[in-house]
Amino acid sequence: MEAAEGKNVHILEELNRDIENLSLNLKKFIKEQVSVFKKRGVVIGVSGGIDSAVALTLCVHALGKENVYCLLLPEDESSPSSAALGAEICESLGVPYEEVSISPILRSLNIYDKKEQIIKRTCPDYDPDLHKTSLVLPDFLNQGLLNVPYIQLVKDGVPAGKYRLKANDYLELIGLQNVKQRSRMLVQYMYAEKLNYAVCGTTNKTELFLGQFVKYGDGGSDFEPLADCYKVQVYALGRLLNVNEAIMKRPPSADTWSHFTSDEEFYWRMPLEILDQLLYAQEHQLPTEVIEKNTGLSSETIEKVLIHINRIRDSTEYVRAAPPICYISR
């Protein structure tokens, strides 16, 4: 981007520019990848969220509904709306789908019991019969670089306490939670190999940029049509493709806690439109004054956020990287 143009750029306008052409290119990409892999179609996990809804709709347009198979992969802590919204979009597109609970896999590994033990020793007031739980971090724009994770108890939809997690407990919880995404991908590949289909991923550019996916979980697909589309662009694609309004309005979430926890509450720690503008500005090396004009943030806050983003990228570099290979010269 030229310096003169960069000073006058309207980031959200740039992100939402020429969405129709973007849609055409993504459909072409999907068709080409299935051909390259010599597969008959695609399997896609449908979560009731915007990313899988957009990826599914693009696949149907590119390949035909008869060449797409959807899996709804709930577990005990999933929101009931996830499977309901997933089934609704599959039915509206006329795509065959199947619901396969991953809870038996998780119970066989004692994931729920181990998670409950951590919550009980962290939260003295926790009662599994009364409380739902979520994992949250402080709002970044109001509380800065503080990066302390908390378990939040929720009773009848109302916050009932927040308890700071010890570092070791936090790491163990993340490991337990990540088994959910890895179990879902395991099931997708089981079906894909049976059908001679490719697995279509649903990771977007915002997630890819930050390493916000699980290695060999939701990051373990055959191809990723949305991985160069910021989340804001995914929503623009959803509007273009007439994705169900309930899905469009649903807050983004990994949906792995008993209390529905949005990505803004845990991972992003700021509104999506602010985050995507900052990531775009960093990618295109836009000056601070342009970022101030677009986001309304102060230069001091922008500096802190960019430090925060760089820390996340550094800490998740291993998630984005392919396994290193020791090449032996011959």
Side-chain angles (χ1 to χ4, degrees), residues 136-148:
V136 296
L137 287 166
D139 180 327
F140 183 87
L141 296 183
N142 293 317
Q143 300 187 44
L145 291 173
L146 187 65
N147 192 25
V148 179

Side-chain angles (χ1 to χ4, degrees), residues 219-240:
S221 60
D222 289 319
F223 65 94
E224 293 281 0
L226 302 179
D228 199 35
C229 302
Y230 283 109
K231 188 83 171 187
V232 164
Q233 293 173 299
V234 176
Y235 277 104
L237 285 165
R239 288 189 290 272
L240 176 71

Side-chain angles (χ1 to χ4, degrees), residues 82-99:
S82 297
L85 288 171
E88 187 174 333
I89 191 168
C90 290
E91 290 169 4
S92 69
L93 292 168
V95 180
Y97 69 93
E98 186 172 342
E99 183 173 321

Side-chain angles (χ1 to χ4, degrees), residues 223-270:
F223 65 94
E224 293 281 0
L226 302 179
D228 199 35
C229 302
Y230 283 109
K231 188 83 171 187
V232 164
Q233 293 173 299
V234 176
Y235 277 104
L237 285 165
R239 288 189 290 272
L240 176 71
L241 299 169
N242 295 315
V243 167
N244 183 330
E245 190 67 19
I247 292 176
M248 293 287 293
K249 290 181 177 178
R250 192 183 197 212
S253 172
D255 193 22
T256 56
W257 286 83
S258 58
H259 177 67
F260 189 86
T261 307
S262 76
D263 289 334
E264 288 186 3
E265 291 175 285
F266 174 64
Y267 207 91
W268 301 341
R269 302 174 61 196
M270 66 188 75

